[in-house]
Protein backbone atom coordinates (compact mmCIF):
# COMPACT_ATOMS: atom_id res chain seq x y z
CA UNK A 1 0.00 0.00 0.00
CA UNK A 2 1.30 3.44 -0.93
CA UNK A 3 1.54 6.39 1.44
CA UNK A 4 0.79 9.68 -0.34
CA UNK A 5 2.01 13.11 0.77
CA UNK A 6 1.87 16.73 -0.31
CA UNK A 7 5.34 18.17 0.29
CA UNK A 8 6.34 21.83 0.60
CA UNK A 9 9.40 22.79 -1.47
CA UNK A 10 11.16 26.06 -2.22
CA UNK A 11 9.15 26.54 -5.42
CA UNK A 12 5.74 25.37 -4.20
CA UNK A 13 4.01 22.05 -3.45
CA UNK A 14 4.68 18.60 -4.95
CA UNK A 15 3.00 15.20 -4.57
CA UNK A 16 4.91 12.07 -3.58
CA UNK A 17 4.13 8.47 -2.79
CA UNK A 18 6.16 5.98 -0.77
CA UNK A 19 6.01 2.23 -0.44
CA UNK A 20 8.14 0.11 1.88
CA UNK A 21 8.70 -3.56 1.17
CA UNK A 22 10.96 -5.00 3.85
CA UNK A 23 14.29 -3.19 3.53
CA UNK A 24 13.38 -1.68 0.13
CA UNK A 25 11.71 1.74 -0.07
CA UNK A 26 10.22 3.15 -3.28
CA UNK A 27 9.79 6.94 -3.39
CA UNK A 28 8.15 8.51 -6.45
CA UNK A 29 6.92 11.96 -7.47
CA UNK A 30 4.06 12.99 -9.74
CA UNK A 31 5.24 14.61 -12.99
CA UNK A 32 3.44 16.88 -15.48
CA UNK A 33 2.09 13.94 -17.48
CA UNK A 34 0.31 12.32 -14.52
CA UNK A 35 2.97 9.59 -14.27
CA UNK A 36 5.20 8.67 -11.34
CA UNK A 37 8.93 9.38 -11.55
CA UNK A 38 11.79 8.81 -9.08
CA UNK A 39 13.29 12.20 -10.04
CA UNK A 40 12.25 14.93 -7.59
CA UNK A 41 13.32 17.70 -9.97
CA UNK A 42 10.94 16.44 -12.66
CA UNK A 43 7.94 16.66 -10.31
CA UNK A 44 4.98 18.87 -11.07
CA UNK A 45 4.95 22.02 -8.93
CA UNK A 46 1.68 23.39 -7.57
CA UNK A 47 1.74 26.99 -6.34
CA UNK A 48 -1.23 26.62 -3.98
CA UNK A 49 -1.60 23.85 -1.40
CA UNK A 50 -5.29 23.47 -2.24
CA UNK A 51 -4.44 22.69 -5.88
CA UNK A 52 -1.96 20.02 -4.77
CA UNK A 53 -4.48 18.44 -2.39
CA UNK A 54 -7.12 18.36 -5.14
CA UNK A 55 -4.65 16.73 -7.56
CA UNK A 56 -3.73 14.21 -4.84
CA UNK A 57 -7.39 13.17 -4.52
CA UNK A 58 -7.59 12.63 -8.28
CA UNK A 59 -4.32 10.68 -8.43
CA UNK A 60 -5.26 8.42 -5.51
CA UNK A 61 -8.59 7.61 -7.17
CA UNK A 62 -6.83 6.93 -10.48
CA UNK A 63 -4.35 4.58 -8.78
CA UNK A 64 -7.19 2.71 -7.03
CA UNK A 65 -9.03 2.37 -10.33
CA UNK A 66 -5.94 1.01 -12.14
CA UNK A 67 -5.25 -1.40 -9.26
CA UNK A 68 -8.77 -2.88 -9.49
CA UNK A 69 -8.29 -3.89 -13.17
Amino acid sequence: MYEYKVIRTEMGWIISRKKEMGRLMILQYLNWYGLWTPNKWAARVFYKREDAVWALVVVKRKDEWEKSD
Side-chain angles (χ1 to χ4, degrees):
M1 191 74 174
Y2 285 101
E3 177 186 338
Y4 296 87
K5 283 188 179 180
V6 175
I7 301 172
R8 174 80 173 140
T9 63
E10 295 173 3
M11 298 294 294
W13 301 87
I14 60 175
I15 298 173
S16 71
R17 73 178 182 178
K18 179 173 73 170
K19 182 176 186 178
E20 294 185 24
M21 300 178 295
R23 292 176 37 186
L24 179 65
M25 183 178 71
I26 299 171
L27 185 59
Q28 298 173 324
Y29 302 94
L30 184 69
N31 69 7
W32 282 96
Y33 304 106
L35 304 173
W36 295 101
T37 179
N39 187 357
K40 184 177 183 178
W41 301 109
R44 181 175 182 173
V45 176
F46 297 92
Y47 297 110
K48 294 182 181 177
R49 187 176 190 281
E50 294 80 22
D51 294 338
V53 170
W54 179 251
L56 177 61
V57 170
V58 172
V59 168
K60 285 175 75 172
R61 181 67 182 138
K62 179 182 168 190
D63 286 349
E64 289 174 6
W65 183 71
E66 289 176 355
K67 182 180 174 184
S68 66
D69 287 344

